[in-house]
């Protein structure tokens, strides 16, 4: 039995280490995106000085400017909300928002890295599964490594749990919450079965982190390359003058190429890191409700639980006994029930079957 417990503990420790490395990469990404944003702002200021630019070109780079401004505002919001939560957590005696896998402190560049990780559309809304307050909570939960969820540092339990619906939260905080239910089981066979489930979850998430680290590294490399091209473009544009009609045809063509460069560079700022997006999103949930008229009322009533548990059980295959044991474990766990806004008498193995139904609906046309 000790061997099995050690197996789970090792998997969770490995997942935590992978999460720490991922956070370090996100922080590094922030430094490079900060530099990229500065270069884009500089080249934008040069474009703004040019008169008589064709309307088509003008509209294009004005749109790009709006996207970048919204992205910057999103990063500033993350930084501000993090500091608010940190103050509140300290006031409540919680072990600091920065505990666990969090970066030591959240400054502007770290916030920029997170904003890129989650992505931003031209409207400033998160492209990922979350938006608005849920998006901010997700970013905070990422940095908090579960401290917010387990200590209540400024977020309602339900919101925190939903925010953790992604790779990092479940391994560090979510699995800790649900795995604490192991203490309720007296037989070794039941404990071993549950520990195997939690080990599978941790091992799955380790793979997610490893793939995300590769994606983050590739994004950083591309940003470095684009930043160099932008710096070269800035030097060239400064020699073109400020009247488009007086530029040579070659200069006008080159200016158009620089607009395309700005577009590609802006995409590197605002496109999310795909490997770190939730496996089951709010959009997935909305589609489920639209297609499942028979269970519409049930799904709508248990939205938080469905989204959170779908992310927990993504790619985890359970037989009937697994479902019963897991449900028994979870329904005895007050932290879990509070997080998903359900009462003890409400949750059972049938709920897990409905979660599988939600996942099957989401991945019926793709590998899952």
């Amino acid at each position: 039995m000790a061997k099995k417990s050690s197996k789970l503990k090792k998997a969770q420790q490995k997942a935590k280490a992978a999460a720490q490395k991922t956070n370090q990469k996100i922080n590094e990404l922030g430094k490079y995106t900060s530099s990229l944003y500065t270069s884009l702002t500089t080249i934008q200021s040069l474009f703004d000085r040019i008169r008589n630019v064709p309307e088509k070109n003008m509209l294009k780079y004005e749109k790009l400017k709006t996207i970048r401004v919204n992205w910057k505002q999103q990063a500033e919001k993350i930084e501000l909300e993090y500091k608010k939560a940190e103050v509140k957590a300290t006031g409540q005696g919680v072990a600091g928002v920065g505990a666990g896998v969090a970066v030591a402190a959240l400054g502007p560049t770290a916030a920029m890295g997170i904003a890129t990780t989650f992505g931003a559309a031209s409207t400033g809304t998160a492209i990922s599964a979350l938006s608005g307050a849920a998006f901010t909570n997700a970013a905070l939960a990422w940095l908090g490594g579960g401290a917010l969820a387990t200590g209540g540092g400024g977020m309602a339990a339900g919101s925190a749990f939903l925010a953790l619906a992604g790779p990092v939260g479940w391994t560090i905080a979510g699995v800790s919450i649900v795995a604490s239910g192991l203490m309720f089981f007296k037989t070794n066979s039941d404990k071993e079965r549950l520990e195997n489930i939690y080990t599978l979850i941790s091992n799955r998430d380790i793979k997610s982190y490893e793939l995300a680290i590769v994606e983050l590294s590739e994004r950083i490399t591309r940003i470095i390359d684009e930043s160099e091209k932008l710096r070269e473009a800035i030097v060239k544009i400064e020699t073109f003058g400020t009247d488009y009609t007086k530029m040579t045809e070659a200069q006008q063509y080159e200016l158009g190429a620089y607009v395309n460069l700005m577009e590609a560079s802006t995409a590197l700022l605002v496109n999310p890191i795909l490997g770190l997006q939730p496996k089951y999103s709010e959009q997935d949930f909305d589609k489920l409700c639209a297609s499942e008229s028979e269970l519409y009322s049930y799904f709508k009533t248990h939205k938080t639980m469905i989204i959170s548990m779908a992310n927990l059980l993504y790619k985890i295959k359970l037989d009937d006994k697994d479902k019963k044991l897991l449900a028994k474990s979870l329904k005895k766990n007050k932290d879990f029930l509070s997080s998903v806004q359900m009462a003890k008498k409400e949750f059972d193995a049938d709920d897990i079957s409905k979660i599988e139904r939600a996942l099957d609906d989401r991945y019926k046309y793709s590998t899952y």
Side-chain angles (χ1 to χ4, degrees):
M1 188 62 221
K3 184 178 179 181
K4 288 293 181 181
S5 296
S6 176
K7 183 179 178 181
L8 172 59
K9 188 174 181 180
K10 286 179 179 177
Q12 288 182 301
Q13 287 174 340
K14 188 174 180 181
K16 184 174 182 178
Q20 287 177 325
K21 188 173 180 181
T22 304
N23 262 347
Q24 289 168 0
K25 273 292 175 185
I26 290 173
N27 202 26
E28 184 182 349
L29 174 67
K31 294 176 183 177
Y32 286 105
T33 52
S34 176
S35 176
L36 179 63
Y37 178 80
T38 299
S39 295
L40 283 166
T41 302
T42 301
I43 198 170
Q44 182 74 57
S45 67
L46 294 176
F47 270 87
D48 288 343
R49 282 161 35 191
I50 299 173
R51 305 185 305 275
N52 303 316
V53 176
E55 186 177 2
K56 184 179 178 180
N57 285 9
M58 177 75 74
L59 288 174
K60 188 172 183 179
Y61 70 73
E62 284 296 331
K63 180 182 177 182
L64 293 174
K65 184 198 292 188
T66 300
I67 292 173
R68 290 194 299 274
V69 167
N70 286 331
W71 173 84
K72 182 68 158 46
Q73 289 174 342
Q74 186 164 278
E76 290 170 348
K77 181 182 178 184
I78 292 171
E79 182 186 4
L80 178 63
E81 292 299 324
Y82 178 89
K83 289 176 179 176
K84 283 182 182 177
E86 189 173 35
V87 170
K88 190 167 185 179
T90 303
Q92 292 177 347
V94 179
V97 178
V101 300
V103 290
L106 180 62
T109 55
M112 286 179 174
I114 299 163
T116 296
T117 297
F118 282 88
S122 58
T123 57
T125 308
I127 285 177
S128 69
L130 308 172
S131 61
F135 164 77
T136 304
N137 286 351
L140 297 177
W142 181 280
L143 287 166
L148 289 171
T150 57
M155 283 191 285
S159 298
F161 205 79
L162 177 59
L164 288 167
V168 72
W170 271 114
T171 298
I172 308 303
V175 170
S176 296
I177 290 174
V178 296
S180 65
L182 287 170
M183 71 179 70
F184 299 113
F185 289 82
K186 295 179 180 179
T187 65
N188 284 348
S189 61
D190 286 351
K191 285 185 179 180
E192 182 177 336
R193 200 176 187 99
L194 280 169
E195 285 169 351
N196 284 338
I197 294 171
Y198 300 138
T199 301
L200 285 173
I201 292 169
S202 292
N203 286 335
R204 174 206 62 195
D205 288 349
I206 290 167
K207 291 179 182 178
S208 292
Y209 296 134
E210 290 172 346
L211 289 172
I213 289 167
V214 171
E215 189 180 355
L216 286 162
S217 298
E218 289 175 349
R219 178 68 62 89
I220 288 170
T221 298
R222 289 185 61 195
I223 287 175
I224 291 171
D225 290 342
E226 294 294 298
S227 294
E228 179 59 32
K229 291 176 184 176
L230 284 170
R231 284 191 288 271
E232 293 173 359
I234 288 168
V235 173
K236 292 291 291 290
I237 292 173
E238 287 178 328
T239 67
F240 289 178
T242 57
D243 189 338
Y244 186 87
T245 59
K246 293 182 179 179
M247 294 180 187
T248 66
E249 187 176 343
Q251 288 174 330
Q252 291 176 349
Y253 179 83
E254 196 168 351
L255 208 61
Y258 292 149
V259 173
N260 292 334
L261 173 61
M262 291 166 67
E263 185 173 29
S265 298
T266 298
L268 292 176
L269 281 184
V270 303
N271 286 353
I273 301 299
L274 297 179
L276 295 177
Q277 303 311 298
K279 303 304 182 184
Y280 194 86
S281 69
E282 287 191 78
Q283 288 92 330
D284 296 329
F285 178 81
D286 291 340
K287 289 177 183 176
L288 173 71
C289 291
S291 64
E292 291 279 2
S293 56
E294 179 187 346
L295 293 172
Y296 176 85
S297 179
Y298 169 86
F299 286 130
K300 274 295 187 181
T301 303
H302 302 299
K303 177 179 178 179
T304 300
M305 185 273 291
I306 293 295
I307 294 177
S308 300
M309 289 295 291
N311 279 282
L312 174 67
L313 298 179
Y314 170 76
K315 283 193 173 181
I316 304 299
K317 299 300 180 184
L318 305 173
D319 60 25
D320 289 341
K321 186 170 183 180
D322 290 333
K323 293 175 190 176
K324 288 178 182 178
L325 280 172
L326 184 58
K328 186 178 178 182
S329 170
L330 294 174
K331 73 188 301 178
K332 290 185 177 182
N333 190 315
K334 291 180 180 179
D335 288 332
F336 166 77
L337 292 172
S338 175
S339 295
V340 297
Q341 302 166 11
M342 290 182 74
K344 182 178 180 180
K345 62 182 180 180
E346 290 182 287
F347 193 85
D348 58 28
D350 189 50
D351 291 289
I352 296 179
S353 294
K354 289 186 174 69
I355 291 157
E356 289 182 332
R357 186 166 174 171
L359 282 166
D360 288 341
D361 179 80
R362 163 65 179 84
Y363 291 96
K364 59 187 172 186
Y365 298 120
S366 59
T367 303
Y368 153 50

